Amino acid sequence: QCHSRESGNAVFPLHITLAGTRAMPLSIASWNINSVRIRLDNIRRYVNEAEPDVLCLQETKTEDGFFPGDALK
């Protein structure tokens, strides 16, 4: 069973219940970032404040080889 609702600007808490288990809260943040390299500081600040379990970024405006993955770890 899965329940979700909008909460805040970009975070959608997703609560998953598996048969015979307790609910496990999972927060998923989705952000149309429109250039990931320009907004690295904003991403870090958001992740530190919201602490999402999963962060999905759209419109990163960069090729895979230039994606700042190390800076986001």
Side-chain angles (χ1 to χ4, degrees), residues 3-46:
H3 301 281
S4 65
R5 64 181 177 81
E6 185 171 351
S7 174
N9 192 2
V11 177
F12 299 86
L14 178 64
H15 302 282
I16 300 171
T17 304
L18 303 175
T21 66
R22 296 183 327 181
M24 300 170 12
L26 173 68
S27 64
I28 300 173
S30 180
W31 189 352
N32 186 339
I33 196 70
N34 197 23
S35 185
V36 67
R37 291 182 289 170
I38 291 173
R39 292 178 174 76
L40 278 175
D41 289 337
N42 294 359
I43 296 168
R44 287 187 194 109
R45 184 173 39 255
Y46 175 78

